[in-house]
Amino acid sequence: MNQSVSKSIVIVGGGASATLLLAELSTQLNNSSRIPTNIYIIDDSQAFKVGLAYSIDHPSFILNVAAKRMGAWHQKPDDFVEWLTKYPYLWRNLHPDFLHVNFSAKDFVPRMIYGEYLRWIFDNAVASCAEKHIRVYKVTARATSVRAATNSGLVIELSSKESLLADTVILATGNSEPKHRNFAGKNIFPSPYHPEFLQQDWRKLNSIIVVGSGLGMVDAVQHLAHQNFKGDIQVFSRHGLTPLPHLESSHQDCIPFKFPSVKSARKILNAVRKQIDANANRNIFWQTTINSLRQETNNTWLSLPSREQKKLRRVLPWWNIARHRIPTSTYDLLIKLQKEGRLTIIKGEVKQAEHHGDYFLLNLTHTTALIKAEKMVICSGYCYNHQLEKLCGNLVDPEFFCKSNDLKLSNQHELYALGPALGNLLFETTAINEIRQQSVKIAAAISEQMQAQELSTNQKLSTNLEAFN
């Protein structure tokens, strides 16, 4: 009856964010809807379905979150654990190290296994969509811009010089350009995930410089240890901060924290410190307190004036090391290497690096340093994401986004974003937990909009039929 009405949904990006969103769409879109629906996923990377973080083909890179909290579904975070148990044949043959290993809910599983889980989630989502007569297409290209269509909808311009017309667009572009992306040259690896870094025989080398001290540095050090690197590691970073460990003991309960209804970054930080101290006096670990803040951080952030948001951004380095934690065994490895004098953390932001013979000339914020080292690897993370502005221009309305509860970016268009693509609008938006919650909201909003569209169309058709009769 409604073949003249259709729905075109475009997901820009094809990594983990897109996979979790597609999974939610496959469950929430109305099975009885008579609106023909097509979903297009635009992606030109080699890490389709999983993204860069989970496409690393080496067992030394592990998740920073226990398996029991890495499920694809917000309502069922332990789904990944069930998958590990139910489908071992899907991951055991990925690497010889996995042939005789079993994983429990509290284990930190290699990322290449989690990547296989995401592929399984994606393929099942496509199959579920097909059962509902929803077609999913992969478009191998890069989206260069999103603009308003002449009549309605949105136009996505592609690197292939083609374009797509969509009713709904969701930006799931993942992390933006890495910091220090201009660092290049002989013996400088652009990331710890670069093929040349992974293929290097580290047993034959004696020294390396690491730029950045966050999770990328942790990955690099773990890989070096796995490869029996016995040399010295010198780490340079702006603040000299390293990630803190997860809590190994059993679950603790603490009084739920409510951010004060104030518009001051300073008062919010003071309230957080008082809560940590109060819980510590009750023998509750700081990790538990930080976890209790998680559900409210973004809502509180959105309620602040922009000037207070800028102030709060300054504490992100300290928040990140407490919030984005690492396994205790990994933390112990860092401490061990530091005590042995093989790992040195140096406070200093590297602005530029050049290789000269057996040395690297580093231009730091207020000085220069000539450091003897054979290799360098860049682990300084990613810049704050500005892809929304680059792709969508003035389509994005930050004030409307702050008021919207469904992650909609525009009052005029069906334009959404999730995951790291929202890095410039939210306080934190990179963890699987945040992304799956965002997926639920966006899928629900699209489903409701489609139901309203179908109802409106049916009412118009009924009115026309009555008039005809």
Side-chain angles (χ1 to χ4, degrees):
M1 292 174 63
N2 297 336
Q3 292 302 308
S4 60
V5 179
S6 64
K7 184 74 171 181
S8 177
I9 302 171
V10 170
I11 301 174
V12 179
S17 298
T19 293
L20 297 189
L21 174 61
L22 181 65
E24 279 296 334
L25 287 172
S26 73
T27 62
Q28 293 202 39
L29 293 187
N30 192 349
N31 192 27
S32 62
S33 174
R34 298 175 181 178
I35 301 178
T37 303
N38 295 321
I39 300 175
Y40 301 89
I41 301 177
I42 303 173
D43 186 85
D44 66 347
S45 73
Q46 298 297 316
F48 181 55
K49 304 181 185 180
V50 297
L52 175 63
Y54 307 113
S55 64
I56 313 301
D57 192 20
H58 198 283
S60 63
F61 296 94
I62 63 175
L63 297 172
N64 295 315
V65 176
K68 62 184 177 183
R69 298 198 299 273
M70 288 297 291
W73 311 101
H74 178 55
Q75 304 87 343
K76 193 178 179 183
D78 61 349
D79 181 70
F80 178 48
V81 176
E82 291 189 12
W83 178 86
L84 288 168
T85 304
K86 191 174 182 179
Y87 304 104
Y89 58 88
L90 293 178
W91 55 266
R92 284 203 183 280
N93 292 326
L94 294 176
H95 193 275
D97 288 2
F98 306 152
L99 288 177
H100 305 290
V101 67
N102 292 307
F103 295 107
S104 69
K106 65 180 182 180
D107 286 333
F108 297 86
V109 178
R111 278 184 230 161
M112 60 188 297
I113 293 179
Y114 190 72
E116 194 64 25
Y117 168 69
L118 288 178
R119 293 184 183 93
W120 182 82
I121 289 290
F122 185 97
D123 293 341
N124 276 274
V126 171
S128 178
C129 285
E131 291 176 359
K132 298 180 178 183
H133 307 291
I134 299 170
R135 296 183 179 182
V136 180
Y137 300 93
K138 162 73 184 304
V139 180
T140 305
R142 177 175 52 84
T144 57
S145 70
V146 179
R147 57 179 174 82
T150 304
N151 297 321
S152 64
L154 295 161
V155 176
I156 303 93
E157 303 288 351
L158 305 177
S159 56
S160 59
K161 306 303 181 183
E162 298 174 309
S163 62
L164 281 174
L165 178 63
D167 301 297
T168 303
V169 173
I170 309 103
L171 302 178
T173 49
N175 287 303
S176 59
E177 295 178 332
K179 296 177 183 177
H180 302 110
R181 62 187 179 278
N182 295 324
F183 283 22
K186 185 180 179 182
N187 297 319
I188 299 178
F189 301 106
S191 84
Y193 320 114
H194 193 272
E196 292 183 9
F197 181 85
L198 300 177
Q199 295 164 9
Q200 177 70 50
D201 186 354
W202 292 103
R203 295 171 298 178
K204 298 180 179 180
L205 300 178
N206 298 310
S207 55
I208 183 172
I209 294 173
V210 179
V211 178
S213 61
L215 295 176
M217 178 275 292
V218 173
D219 283 343
V221 171
Q222 283 191 117
H223 181 72
L224 292 170
H226 188 275
Q227 299 300 103
N228 294 315
F229 175 73
K230 303 298 183 184
D232 296 326
I233 305 169
Q234 298 183 71
V235 178
F236 287 81
S237 80
R238 181 179 180 182
H239 299 287
L241 302 170
T242 59
L244 296 171
H246 282 291
L247 186 64
E248 275 200 339
S249 62
S250 59
H251 174 73
Q252 291 182 311
D253 291 319
C254 67
I255 300 173
F257 179 77
K258 291 293 183 181
F259 283 92
S261 57
V262 295
K263 306 300 181 183
S264 165
R266 181 182 295 276
K267 290 182 179 179
I268 287 173
L269 291 174
N270 287 338
V272 171
R273 293 189 185 99
K274 288 180 180 179
Q275 180 78 354
I276 292 173
D277 292 340
N279 281 333
N281 291 333
R282 299 170 55 226
N283 296 319
I284 294 175
F285 294 102
W286 62 266
Q287 290 98 327
T288 302
T289 306
I290 293 296
N291 291 343
S292 73
L293 310 180
R294 186 171 185 174
Q295 298 300 325
E296 298 296 329
T297 50
N298 279 330
N299 289 335
T300 300
W301 167 264
L302 291 173
S303 71
L304 293 175
S306 59
R307 65 180 183 279
E308 296 299 321
Q309 288 183 345
K310 290 179 181 178
K311 293 178 183 178
L312 208 52
R313 282 280 189 200
R314 297 171 191 164
V315 306
L316 261 181
W318 288 268
W319 171 257
N320 284 338
I321 65 170
R323 166 68 184 81
H324 300 286
R325 302 188 290 270
I326 58 177
T328 302
S329 59
T330 303
Y331 182 79
D332 291 342
L333 171 64
L334 298 181
I335 298 300
K336 176 178 176 290
L337 293 175
Q338 286 179 287
K339 289 181 177 179
E340 293 174 354
R342 293 172 49 204
L343 173 64
T344 306
I345 310 294
I346 303 163
K347 187 176 180 179
E349 184 178 10
V350 179
K351 299 291 189 180
Q352 188 176 0
E354 297 177 5
H355 184 254
H356 298 280
D358 296 331
Y359 293 85
F360 281 89
L361 178 63
L362 306 182
N363 288 330
L364 307 175
T365 305
H366 299 296
T367 186
T368 59
L370 193 63
I371 308 297
K372 187 173 183 179
E374 295 161 291
K375 302 288 182 180
M376 171 185 283
V377 60
I378 310 302
C379 303
S380 49
Y382 296 89
C383 302
Y384 285 124
N385 202 308
H386 293 279
Q387 293 189 63
L388 297 184
E389 293 85 349
K390 291 179 180 178
L391 279 173
C392 305
N394 58 8
L395 289 179
V396 178
D397 184 350
E399 292 187 5
F400 177 80
F401 174 83
C402 290
K403 299 174 184 176
S404 170
N405 193 38
D406 56 12
L407 305 174
K408 199 175 179 186
L409 299 172
S410 169
N411 188 32
Q412 303 295 322
H413 304 281
E414 292 294 314
L415 178 64
Y416 302 85
L418 79 162
L422 291 172
N424 211 37
L425 291 175
L426 294 178
F427 188 67
E428 56 175 345
T429 178
T430 59
I432 288 294
N433 182 60
E434 279 86 43
I435 295 171
R436 65 190 177 205
Q437 290 184 62
Q438 293 166 3
S439 298
V440 170
K441 285 187 175 183
I442 293 173
I446 293 173
S447 178
E448 290 173 8
Q449 192 275 336
M450 288 181 64
Q451 291 176 29
Q453 180 184 4
E454 184 176 19
L455 179 61
S456 175
T457 302
N458 288 338
Q459 289 175 343
K460 290 179 180 178
L461 179 60
S462 177
T463 301
N464 291 337
L465 288 174
E466 289 177 3
F468 178 78
N469 292 332

